Amino acid sequence: MQHHYRRNGWWSDVTFSEILKKRVDETPERIAFKDDRRSVTYAQLWSEVRRFAELLRRQGVGRGDVVTLQVPNRVEFPVAFFALELIGAIANKISPDLRAEELRYILDFSRSKAYVCAFQFKGFNYVDMLRSVRGRLSAPVSAICLDAVEGDDVVSFAQTLSVLPEIRDEHRVYMDPDEIMRMCFTSGTTGNPKGVLHSFNTTLCAARFLNRDMQVTKDDVLLAYLPVALNWGYLTLLQSVMAGACTVLLERFSARAALECIASECVTFIPTAPAAIVAMLNAPELSATDCSSLRVMVTGGAPASIDMIRQFSSAFPRARLIELYGMLETGFHSYTRLEDNPLDVIGTVGRCVEEMEVGVLDDAGQVVENGQTGELSAKGPSVHLGYLNNVQANTESFTADGWFRTGDLGEIVDKHGNIRISGRKKEIINRGGKKYFPREIEDLLYENEAFMQVAIVGVPDARLGERNCLCALLKPAAQITLDAVIAMLKGRVADYKLPEELVILDQFPMTPSGKIRRAELLKQLIARTG
């Protein structure tokens, strides 16, 4: 398969530093990244990348070593991440939301040689967290703080930047495009998280394909409020450099802050979760904000309702709303296209990326016919190389003929190959022996304008095994009753799928990438009932 990918040009066999250096040579004074603290040109970025590489080298980090980065959306993230290639190290990106026990597990399991962090984010001290677990790690870990910090046990990049030389060419490592260059751990909502492995070839092609299909160029300004420590946020940074564009990094999302960035920075391209779109559409500042620069907004992780699509078209008349399906293991797998009519492809995640393959498999691993539901599976140049030190997960996740099983259920719904997702295999609700996927009900509920976000959860029941609980966030001043919900659904779906309880929440437990943490939501519901 690798020969096939190369022959077709899907793997271009370059590493990221080659692309970055080309941008430096062509447009050294163009702004590459900016946040609310500072901005860097491509030339300044390259200089800081080389200095950070020298700092890591002096800390004893070398080829094949893992460096864990826990950094929010700041200019220093691409500086630190891009530096690792120059010493041959492997980047392990983790969410700033993770805490001590999660950090300890990941540092040990990944065998990290160094840990790079901000000093504080959202009032939380990351240096103190590392200090609290250091004595329980199986091997020493060097600590590098991007900010000024006191202590002999931590090196400060901010305090050493001005005196650090750029790494010398004789100390540089030149990595192979097939080498593992990054890992990232799955969200770990069930059991311990798994380390997903990617090379330059599996990584860069995903960003290249999306840039091509979304027509991203050097004239674009990207807005990154999705966490860059996670897959989609990180790939956005690659997209930007590969196009020679500029990315504005937003450390903490709010509808007001995002809208202000769109207006002040003339943002053209935004990757996002649906919840952020809903927040912007309901923000009082929207009507007074100039969003005319916005060209594309790509949403993924949850379905866009017809109500949201219509509101989006009204609020951002020059922009196209794209629905995307992807995951850490496969990159960007499918998406709607710029030329699609959004109402024609509503309820789908578009069609497969041209260079990828999608299979809908039955329980025996056989591809089913179009229109039949099965497990969505992937083949192609952006599929990961496997899970770190996890033979069981690799065996279970890949079929004998090379399909990667995503765990998502869906079907191909039309002759164009558009894909509809039914839900996660593990989210199936079993009420009295009758099973269904909550997403089919959730999609219908979004027809009611009262709902901002919904989730159907199966809560334990002594008689039925599980009963249907509807959890909802309502739009400002909206009201809804369980009877009204049942009346809306009655006759449209089987009675055993109807909600039996309605819980109105102020917020859902969410992953950093904007997905509902259903396992955590279920725990909260069980705790409420005692």
Side-chain angles (χ1 to χ4, degrees):
M1 291 302 292
Q2 294 184 9
H3 176 70
H4 177 63
Y5 300 156
R6 289 186 171 89
R7 186 177 66 242
N8 284 281
W10 302 341
W11 282 5
S12 57
D13 281 331
V14 299
T15 64
F16 181 73
S17 66
E18 296 175 63
I19 298 171
L20 176 56
K21 185 59 168 63
K22 184 178 180 181
R23 297 289 165 258
V24 174
D25 293 339
E26 292 175 344
T27 55
E29 299 308 313
R30 183 188 292 273
I31 298 296
F33 297 107
K34 64 192 307 184
D35 58 25
D36 61 359
R37 294 182 170 106
R38 66 186 183 115
S39 62
V40 289
T41 65
Y42 275 100
Q44 290 169 335
L45 173 65
W46 182 238
S47 176
E48 290 195 23
V49 164
R50 291 172 63 85
R51 293 172 193 274
F52 199 87
E54 176 63 15
L55 175 60
L56 289 168
R57 189 187 71 84
R58 294 183 181 192
Q59 293 296 305
V61 180
R63 191 170 204 147
D65 288 334
V66 176
V67 177
T68 293
L69 300 100
Q70 191 171 27
V71 182
N73 287 23
R74 298 175 186 171
V75 166
E76 288 77 14
F77 179 91
V79 169
F81 192 101
F82 299 160
L84 299 184
E85 179 188 338
L86 305 190
I87 55 170
I90 300 168
N92 174 33
K93 317 178 303 314
I94 65 173
S95 167
D97 291 338
L98 299 188
R99 294 298 181 252
E101 287 309 308
E102 296 157 319
L103 176 64
R104 182 198 59 76
Y105 172 83
I106 289 174
L107 289 176
D108 262 352
F109 191 80
S110 66
R111 299 178 181 175
S112 292
K113 186 74 172 288
Y115 170 70
V116 179
C117 66
F119 179 62
Q120 284 191 342
F121 176 55
K122 296 182 181 178
F124 182 79
N125 189 307
Y126 292 89
V127 174
D128 283 350
M129 175 173 64
L130 176 66
R131 286 168 174 160
S132 73
V133 303
R134 230 173 185 172
R136 294 187 287 134
L137 297 175
S138 58
V141 173
S142 298
I144 301 170
C145 182
L146 297 171
D147 306 309
V149 64
E150 300 299 327
D152 295 336
D153 59 341
V154 181
V155 175
S156 166
F157 178 57
Q159 291 170 322
T160 57
L161 174 61
S162 62
V163 298
L164 274 171
E166 297 181 5
I167 192 168
R168 289 159 54 182
D169 286 343
E170 60 263 36
H171 292 149
R172 262 206 64 179
V173 171
Y174 290 86
M175 296 182 73
D176 186 276
D178 285 330
E179 275 189 83
I180 294 171
M181 51 79 69
R182 68 179 177 112
M183 69 173 69
C184 191
F185 281 76
T186 59
S187 58
T189 52
T190 57
N192 285 324
K194 301 187 289 290
V196 178
L197 304 175
H198 277 282
S199 68
F200 290 99
N201 274 326
T202 63
T203 299
L204 297 180
C205 64
R208 188 184 308 114
F209 299 154
L210 190 60
N211 271 2
R212 177 198 63 203
D213 292 337
M214 297 299 114
Q215 300 174 13
V216 179
T217 72
K218 62 181 177 59
D219 298 321
D220 278 296
V221 177
L222 292 76
L223 176 58
Y225 51 71
L226 290 178
V228 294
L230 302 183
N231 191 56
W232 197 359
Y234 160 72
L235 287 173
T236 301
L237 305 185
L238 297 193
Q239 283 183 258
S240 186
V241 173
M242 292 171 78
C246 171
T247 291
V248 180
L249 295 156
L250 187 59
E251 193 169 295
R252 299 182 68 172
F253 172 81
S254 72
R256 171 182 289 181
L259 290 170
E260 287 177 354
C261 276
I262 293 172
S264 64
E265 303 294 342
C266 296
V267 169
T268 63
F269 184 96
I270 304 176
T272 188
I277 301 178
V278 172
M280 283 188 273
L281 292 175
N282 286 279
E285 298 86 3
L286 176 62
S287 60
T289 303
D290 179 7
C291 297
S292 59
S293 63
L294 190 61
R295 186 176 65 82
V296 179
M297 191 177 287
V298 187
T299 178
S305 67
I306 189 168
D307 178 51
M308 187 177 81
I309 291 173
R310 287 171 174 161
Q311 286 188 58
F312 180 91
S313 298
S314 176
F316 308 108
R318 298 186 181 182
R320 299 308 303 266
L321 182 64
I322 300 296
E323 293 211 56
L324 176 146
Y325 171 60
M327 59 195 308
L328 176 57
E329 288 92 339
T330 65
F332 305 125
H333 197 172
S334 73
Y335 36 77
T336 57
R337 302 301 202 267
L338 294 174
E339 62 270 21
D340 288 337
N341 181 334
L343 295 180
D344 289 343
V345 293
I346 189 170
T348 79
V349 289
R351 58 188 183 275
C352 192
V353 176
E354 181 181 336
E355 295 81 0
M356 299 286 286
E357 293 181 70
V358 61
V360 183
L361 306 186
D362 60 21
D363 290 341
Q366 300 300 308
V367 177
V368 303
E369 295 181 359
N370 287 4
Q372 295 184 4
T373 299
E375 184 174 6
L376 295 174
S377 301
K379 286 182 183 178
S382 64
V383 173
H384 71 128
L385 303 175
Y387 297 108
L388 175 68
N389 298 330
N390 198 327
V391 175
Q392 179 180 350
N394 288 327
T395 301
E396 293 173 351
S397 297
F398 287 92
T399 67
D401 52 353
W403 288 106
F404 171 72
R405 294 180 173 274
T406 67
D408 290 315
L409 293 164
E411 60 181 312
I412 298 174
V413 296
D414 58 31
K415 63 181 181 181
H416 303 294
N418 287 307
I419 301 163
R420 179 181 293 121
I421 296 177
S422 306
R424 293 286 294 172
K425 288 185 73 173
K426 293 180 180 179
E427 289 173 2
I428 191 169
I429 293 175
N430 187 345
R431 184 190 182 279
K434 297 178 179 179
K435 301 177 182 180
Y436 74 98
F437 297 99
R439 180 163 175 167
E440 64 178 289
I441 309 301
E442 294 164 358
D443 286 348
L444 295 175
L445 290 171
Y446 281 117
E447 296 175 9
N448 191 306
E449 295 185 358
F451 292 120
M452 181 177 294
Q453 201 164 14
V454 297
I456 302 280
V457 179
V459 296
D461 183 89
R463 183 174 66 88
L464 297 168
E466 290 182 311
R467 70 179 187 278
N468 308 320
C469 179
L470 167 58
C471 301
L473 304 183
L474 301 183
K475 293 180 181 177
Q479 295 182 336
I480 194 83
T481 65
L482 180 61
D483 288 343
V485 172
I486 292 174
M488 171 187 171
L489 298 173
K490 189 75 172 177
R492 301 177 68 188
V493 300
D495 283 355
Y496 69 84
K497 301 177 184 179
L498 296 174
E500 297 162 280
E501 182 180 359
L502 172 62
V503 176
I504 306 298
L505 299 173
D506 294 326
Q507 62 181 5
F508 279 120
M510 306 290 284
T511 68
S513 57
K515 297 179 182 179
I516 297 172
R517 296 180 64 94
R518 291 179 184 261
E520 180 61 30
L521 179 59
L522 177 58
K523 289 180 183 178
Q524 293 180 10
L525 293 172
I526 293 173
R528 287 167 65 108
T529 60

